[in-house]
Amino acid sequence: MFFSLSHSGQSLRGFVSFFLLFLSHFFFILHVLSPHQKRSPLYQTTAEEVLVSTRRTISFSAPGIVNAAPQSVQPYLRLMRLDKPIGTWLLYLPCTWSIALAAEPGCLPDFHMLALFGVGAVLMRGAGCTINDMWDRDFDKKVSRTASRPIAAGEITRFQALVFLGGQLTLALGVLLSLNLYSAILLITYPYFSRLAFNWGALLGWSAIKGYCDWSVCLPLYFSGILWTLIYDTIYAHQDKVDDLLVGVKSTALLFQDHTKPWLSGFSAVMLSGLILTGIISDQTLPYYGALSVVGAHLFYQIFTLDINKPEECWKKFTSNRTLGLLIFIGILAGNLWKSKNKDFEINKVQN
């Protein structure tokens, strides 16, 4: 039996209640912050406007959903980067690795916890982007790629962003209160580790399931995540290296320059070594190592075909890391289910 149906039902009902509460609070915050524009009594909606609105293409992509939102709400959704969810994925995926590793042999990961961490990733990434844009407003105005961000473009004031940040953190508190004490303490330390905290989920996921951290498993996984961040963050930074040089911003792209590929290859080797060590310590099985071989091939292709002087190419390679992270998760999940098969085979062998 992969999981208890009664426990699963209770978890699902609890999550649905929390998610509905989250949505109601989230849209209330947006409603309060959105400017209510007063129209002249003489103003009438034209037939052309009605026609354009009815012809609006329905899209279920992240940018499409943001564009379909009311105009007054869109700047806040873009401030959270909901139109570019890759950052949320990269924050969330290490959580899924850890949650899947913490599952009992032969069992699926805790879906309630996966969903809860998904909501947390959206909120924490949104809060992080809000703080970043408030802090870097003047820099963002000077960089072509970031000049259109809501605060830099003047669509949202710093005060509005601050209030919105408070709303996001209040909702994130709901996620925090859903975790055990050990995980809550780990999460509270999150802001003090800057970039290192981007893979904090590799520790949090395990502790949320077990109530403690098995450091022999979690630390290699965590450091593999850090190396992974260095890989995709360096690729990402090559998009802005010209502007960064002009405004005096330091980045690994400027540090490594033409030696980027050898550095990324070294990071990849250490990352894979950490993942292999994690697998050995956690008694992972064949599907896990098969997935790691695909991850290694993905990294090789990503680095070998990378053109650091083409921003569009850098963006494509950067976003492809979502696939890489999902491959690791699938490998852990399949490897864990395989443990049950191996155990059943050994029991039958002993009985015969």
Side-chain angles (χ1 to χ4, degrees), residues 139-156:
F139 283 114
D140 286 345
K141 290 178 180 179
K142 300 174 184 177
V143 178
S144 56
R145 188 178 58 82
T146 60
S148 61
R149 287 178 176 174
I151 297 177
E155 296 179 86
I156 297 175

Side-chain angles (χ1 to χ4, degrees), residues 36-49:
H36 302 285
Q37 298 177 347
K38 295 182 179 179
R39 294 181 174 181
S40 167
L42 299 176
Y43 180 87
Q44 298 292 331
T45 303
T46 65
E48 183 181 356
E49 285 178 313

Side-chain angles (χ1 to χ4, degrees), residues 18-28 171:
F18 172 79
F19 186 67
L20 291 175
L21 184 64
F22 157 73
L23 286 179
S24 64
H25 280 73
F26 180 72
F27 285 111
F28 174 75
L171 292 173

Side-chain angles (χ1 to χ4, degrees), residues 1 16 27 106 114 131-132 158 190 234 250 254 336 351:
M1 181 71 71
V16 169
F27 285 111
L114 286 171
I131 294 171
N132 180 77
R158 274 184 170 171
Y190 170 91
T234 299
K250 295 179 181 179
L254 294 177
N336 206 42
Q351 289 176 347

Side-chain angles (χ1 to χ4, degrees), residues 180-196:
N180 56 51
L181 180 60
Y182 191 98
S183 301
I185 293 171
L186 274 178
L187 189 57
I188 290 170
T189 62
Y190 170 91
Y192 300 101
F193 289 86
S194 185
R195 281 288 185 184
L196 295 178

Side-chain angles (χ1 to χ4, degrees), residues 212-246:
Y212 67 93
C213 264
D214 184 340
W215 297 105
S216 64
V217 175
C218 294
L219 280 181
L221 184 69
Y222 171 63
F223 285 117
S224 293
I226 291 176
L227 271 298
W228 183 43
T229 301
L230 282 171
I231 293 167
Y232 64 66
D233 204 45
T234 299
I235 294 172
Y236 181 87
H238 272 286
Q239 297 177 100
D240 300 328
K241 58 188 176 184
V242 175
D243 290 322
D244 287 347
L245 194 60
L246 290 174

Side-chain angles (χ1 to χ4, degrees), residues 81-112:
R81 308 291 196 274
L82 287 187
D83 57 328
K84 296 177 180 177
I86 180 60
T88 302
W89 276 107
L90 297 177
L91 178 63
Y92 174 58
L93 284 166
C95 306
T96 69
W97 305 345
S98 191
I99 291 170
L101 276 172
E104 293 298 321
C107 295
L108 293 170
D110 188 324
F111 292 113
H112 168 255

